[in-house]
Amino acid sequence: MTKSNEKKTSGHSYPFLTFFIVTIVITFTVTWYVHKRLMIPPKMPKLDKNEWWGPVPQHIDPDESIQPFRIEFSDVMINDLRERLLHRRASPPPLEGVGFTYGFNSNFLTRVLDYWKNEYDFKGREEYLNKYNHYKTNIQGLDIHFMHILPKKKVDGDDVKTVPLLLLHGWPGSICEFYELIPKLMDVQPEDKFAFELVVPSLPGFGFSESAAVPGLGPAQMAVIMHKLMQRLNYRVYCIQGGDLGHTVGSIMATLYPRHVMGFHTNFPALVFNPLASIYVIFGSYWPSLTVNPEEESRMYPYMDYVTRTLEESGYMHIQATKPDTVGIALSDSPAGLAAYILEKFSTWTNPEHKRASDGNLLGKFSMAHLLDNIMVYWVTNSITTSMRVYAETINSKRITIDFDSIPTLVPTWGIKFKHELVYHPDYVLRLKYKKYLHSTLVEDGGHFAAMENPDIMAVDIKSAVKTFLQYRSPIISKRPPTAAETQPSTVYDFTVLDIQGREVKLDKYRGNVLIIVNVASECGLTETNYKEFNQLHEKYYERGLRILAFPCNQFGGQEPGGAKEILTFIKKNDLKLDFFEKVEVNGEKTHPLWKFLKQAQGGSFGDFIKWNFSKFIVDRNGVPVERFGPNVNPLELESNLQKYL
């Protein structure tokens, strides 16, 4: 009887043990996945930076010259537009007292369309839009339109510098957003110490820039094209300002080209696709006072009010991310439909309370002529469909753009937050990506179309931001010494080290190369495999620009005990091809500055500290640490990762 009971008890213990083990495995797996998804930045997406977006077959030798361009409102177009406005079908009357809560009020739309047909000065507005110099140039198969505005007087000198500034519009905006801002930016005051050279493009598929002939042209690909535009204009280093889609493109440019982007100013400071940012915002709703300043709390909390408004104003996004061409057919054929669809955003995105007014309070901040200038850009170029496709390329088809919101950038960043912007994130959330987020300007007014609504505020803020960016890049511009925060390194090129023979080496000598930086030891169990495979990588990829920088370190098991003489003997004996540097510490109070920077730029899985010998960092051709690997990853396993940068 006793034996039988013992067997029965023993038999029941196995399911419990199995359940316990399975629970542990599942918990560990889920924890690991959540940690990886939220805490470890994704790898830099691989972009084809020469992808052809024009009609196929690709031109073997495309004309890449810069040609003057002029906006034209032809008589044929004007007459056709007036005929469509004259013979438009009457819209059903709005419900009593609804204002703009059901969308654009059809009674007020009649006033807008009558003005457009009878009072809008087509030829006068054509001249107004041509007041700045316009150009086109072909980049990756697309004719890209841009305005290029230079100072009236030469201002370069010891005290005054010219600063290239790229202004990027959003949707449903255009270059017209900046017409009131431009003269305020170009007005050089003695205290400015700099003058702008402005580049104001139409993004691909918008306005006067050609649209892609094949799928896939999203914000990341636009970022590549915009950088090439600046290079074609011989701007090696420049600043960026953007909002809405312009923010997304500018942010990606700062991530992809940190050596070229001096600073990034945004009037849409948000991490829309960063999951950790969303979690912080949600949890912050339980303790708002711990997460945001009292003057900012109402912009984001109560959280359900914030979510409700977002849902109310984001229906267009779902349509454009899934069926842009369907709605585009209607908007391309009807000027009344186009005006209603776009101008409704200028009402409610400027202030949600405007939807209660029968006229949407549209003329409270904007003139009718300026509003219709923007509509004309879409109508004349028939670009509403192609402009909306960017939502499908961003949200619906590829995650490549979304990943960029989680990849850190060290480019100095400055935000201005208008009261009624569609999305709001506190500074501590923004620093999840923008590691040098310098400042937020809070404005107790204004909304989404900041440059057009508040050009004076924007001009002052952009100048303040650029003044700070210049202190990073050229401290001599400022009469005061830069603060410690302003002199933080942004790439490995900012460091000087000693080689194994004690000679000073500026890492700037590696500019343009892809680097592997690794801490090494001569007596580690990993030594033989790592050195053998590093030699193989050197022989295979040296001609393509790979350089391997080895820093001996004795902090892990005392496995690099010798001095420079002993290490040099070991290097010669084993015929090692790496570039060797002085023996350093990579953890603790005496951590070498370069290694502090590497760890800050690419944190480890369970903390920033280096875990053991042969921890590896990949640095791209711009000097930015882009990937990190632990000691357990052998050098030859890095080949697929290196291919993205070589």
Side-chain angles (χ1 to χ4, degrees):
M1 193 74 172
T2 305
K3 290 182 179 180
S4 175
N5 286 339
E6 286 179 357
K7 287 182 180 180
K8 188 175 181 180
T9 304
S10 177
H12 279 292
S13 67
Y14 289 114
F16 175 77
L17 182 61
T18 302
F19 174 78
F20 179 76
I21 293 173
V22 169
T23 301
I24 291 296
V25 170
I26 292 175
T27 302
F28 177 81
T29 303
V30 171
T31 303
W32 174 84
Y33 176 80
V34 171
H35 173 80
K36 183 176 184 293
R37 182 72 184 91
L38 297 181
M39 305 303 295
I40 301 177
K43 296 178 180 179
M44 185 74 74
K46 186 176 181 180
L47 290 172
D48 181 355
K49 296 182 179 179
N50 294 301
E51 193 165 359
W52 183 263
W53 297 110
V56 291
Q58 177 177 344
H59 297 305
I60 297 176
D61 188 23
D63 181 5
E64 296 183 347
S65 62
I66 297 173
Q67 300 294 330
F69 172 77
R70 180 175 173 83
I71 296 172
E72 181 183 1
F73 293 170
S74 69
D75 291 337
V76 173
M77 181 278 298
I78 295 170
N79 291 333
D80 173 72
L81 174 58
R82 281 179 166 156
E83 282 293 313
R84 290 171 185 262
L85 292 171
L86 176 64
H87 298 292
R88 69 183 184 272
R89 188 179 186 184
S91 300
L95 298 172
E96 292 291 334
V98 297
F100 269 51
T101 57
Y102 277 60
F104 205 98
N105 188 295
S106 56
N107 285 343
F108 185 69
L109 180 62
T110 300
R111 178 180 167 187
V112 173
L113 301 181
D114 285 346
Y115 179 96
W116 197 1
K117 179 171 67 76
N118 301 315
E119 298 181 52
Y120 184 79
D121 182 4
F122 287 93
K123 291 303 181 181
R125 301 314 291 178
E126 176 188 298
E127 290 303 313
Y128 173 78
L129 293 177
N130 282 302
K131 66 189 293 186
Y132 302 116
N133 292 326
H134 295 254
Y135 303 90
K136 280 192 176 183
T137 188
N138 193 276
I139 302 176
Q140 293 177 236
L142 300 180
D143 286 336
I144 300 300
H145 160 259
F146 63 97
M147 296 188 293
H148 195 195
I149 305 161
L150 303 177
K152 292 181 179 179
K153 298 180 181 178
K154 184 175 176 60
V155 296
D156 269 342
D158 294 335
D159 296 323
V160 180
K161 302 292 182 183
T162 55
V163 177
L165 176 63
L166 178 67
L167 297 178
L168 298 174
H169 66 79
W171 186 94
S174 66
I175 58 169
C176 295
E177 291 183 58
F178 301 112
Y179 267 70
E180 297 300 301
L181 174 65
I182 288 170
K184 301 177 189 304
L185 290 176
M186 299 304 292
D187 181 21
V188 182
Q189 299 298 319
E191 65 271 16
D192 290 340
K193 299 297 183 183
F194 61 87
F196 288 120
E197 294 188 0
L198 300 180
V199 180
V200 191
S202 297
L203 291 171
F206 285 76
F208 305 99
S209 284
E210 195 173 2
S211 62
V214 294
L217 181 57
Q221 292 76 18
M222 289 182 181
V224 174
I225 291 173
M226 291 297 102
H227 175 64
K228 287 188 175 182
L229 172 62
M230 297 304 281
Q231 286 186 312
R232 189 160 297 175
L233 294 171
N234 295 316
Y235 293 131
R236 182 178 158 277
V237 179
Y238 53 88
C239 293
I240 302 173
Q241 197 290 318
D244 189 70
L245 175 60
H247 158 84
T248 304
V249 174
S251 179
I252 294 173
M253 292 177 72
T255 306
L256 285 175
Y257 305 107
R259 287 298 296 176
H260 299 278
V261 180
M262 182 193 305
F264 175 45
H265 180 278
T266 171
N267 55 284
F268 191 79
L271 302 179
V272 177
F273 300 116
N274 186 307
L276 193 56
S278 300
I279 290 173
Y280 279 11
V281 169
I282 292 171
F283 276 98
S285 65
Y286 294 99
W287 302 280
S289 61
L290 297 179
T291 55
V292 293
N293 297 324
E295 62 269 24
E296 301 175 67
E297 185 176 329
S298 64
R299 301 185 180 212
M300 195 165 57
Y301 303 119
Y303 187 64
M304 285 311 300
D305 292 350
Y306 175 80
V307 171
T308 299
R309 184 196 171 195
T310 301
L311 290 174
E312 287 178 351
E313 297 301 331
S314 59
Y316 81 98
M317 185 183 298
H318 184 74
I319 295 172
Q320 293 173 196
T322 53
K323 309 293 182 184
D325 285 28
T326 300
V327 68
I329 291 170
L331 301 181
S332 296
D333 192 58
S334 168
L338 181 67
Y341 194 72
I342 289 179
L343 294 183
E344 175 247 306
K345 276 71 176 174
F346 276 81
S347 170
T348 55
W349 292 3
T350 297
N351 187 329
E353 291 301 312
H354 289 175
K355 66 184 178 183
R356 305 187 188 282
S358 61
D359 62 356
N361 203 24
L362 264 173
L363 303 182
K365 291 291 184 73
F366 310 108
S367 73
M368 191 75 83
H370 285 156
L371 290 171
L372 289 174
D373 287 342
N374 184 61
I375 304 295
M376 283 294 292
V377 169
Y378 283 93
W379 182 260
V380 171
T381 60
N382 196 19
S383 60
I384 186 61
T385 302
T386 57
S387 72
M388 293 189 298
R389 286 176 185 162
V390 72
Y391 287 86
E393 304 296 359
T394 303
I395 301 169
N396 194 42
S397 58
K398 291 185 178 180
R399 291 186 56 82
I400 192 168
T401 297
I402 295 174
D403 287 342
F404 276 101
D405 255 5
S406 298
I407 300 175
T409 176
L410 295 173
V411 169
T413 302
W414 180 298
I416 182 168
K417 300 175 179 179
F418 287 89
K419 177 74 171 180
H420 305 296
E421 182 55 273
L422 297 173
V423 182
Y424 172 83
H425 279 153
D427 289 4
Y428 75 91
V429 169
L430 297 171
R431 290 191 176 98
L432 293 173
K433 173 176 176 61
Y434 307 109
K435 298 303 182 181
K436 290 186 178 178
Y437 190 82
L438 306 178
H439 173 80
S440 282
T441 302
L442 295 178
V443 183
E444 290 301 314
D445 187 24
H448 190 67
F449 303 98
M452 194 167 169
E453 181 189 0
N454 290 297
D456 292 294
I457 296 173
M458 282 286 287
V460 170
D461 200 65
I462 292 169
K463 287 185 177 183
S464 296
V466 170
K467 189 178 297 183
T468 305
F469 298 156
L470 284 169
Q471 291 166 359
Y472 273 85
R473 204 80 182 196
S474 306
I476 192 171
I477 295 293
S478 176
K479 293 183 179 179
R480 65 168 178 81
T483 65
E486 293 168 346
T487 56
Q488 289 283 329
S490 58
T491 71
V492 298
Y493 304 141
D494 296 321
F495 293 91
T496 298
V497 297
L498 298 178
D499 69 12
I500 192 64
Q501 296 177 329
R503 297 171 298 196
E504 197 172 81
V505 177
K506 293 183 178 180
L507 294 187
D508 187 74
K509 69 174 281 189
Y510 293 101
R511 186 180 297 277
N513 294 112
V514 176
L515 310 179
I516 298 176
I517 301 180
V518 55
N519 62 307
V520 300
S522 303
E523 300 177 7
C524 178
L526 303 174
T527 300
E528 182 177 355
T529 299
N530 273 266
Y531 276 148
K532 177 183 176 182
E533 294 190 6
F534 273 133
N535 267 2
Q536 292 174 344
L537 287 179
H538 172 88
E539 292 170 2
K540 189 172 182 179
Y541 294 109
Y542 185 86
E543 294 300 323
R544 290 174 59 180
L546 177 66
R547 303 293 183 267
I548 304 169
L549 282 55
F551 287 81
C553 178
N554 194 43
Q555 287 186 287
F556 305 101
Q559 295 174 347
E560 189 71 281
K565 183 177 180 181
E566 289 78 11
I567 296 172
L568 279 166
T569 301
F570 182 88
I571 293 169
K572 185 175 182 181
K573 178 182 176 181
N574 292 275
D575 192 27
L576 301 178
K577 308 297 185 183
L578 292 65
D579 292 357
F580 278 84
F581 294 87
E582 66 172 338
K583 192 171 173 179
V584 299
E585 293 189 12
V586 296
N587 289 328
E589 294 182 2
K590 297 181 181 179
T591 299
H592 191 282
L594 172 64
W595 283 83
K596 285 183 180 178
F597 170 72
L598 292 171
K599 292 190 293 182
Q600 178 189 20
Q602 289 292 324
S605 299
F606 299 100
D608 289 345
F609 60 93
I610 302 299
K611 313 306 186 292
W612 197 252
N613 304 308
F614 297 99
S615 294
K616 307 162 186 74
F617 293 84
I618 295 179
V619 178
D620 69 12
R621 294 185 188 273
N622 296 312
V624 178
V626 288
E627 299 191 44
R628 172 176 175 166
F629 300 90
N632 58 316
V633 179
N634 291 331
L636 289 181
E637 296 178 57
L638 304 181
E639 282 195 89
S640 61
N641 302 84
L642 289 170
Q643 295 291 349
K644 295 184 289 186
Y645 309 106
L646 288 170

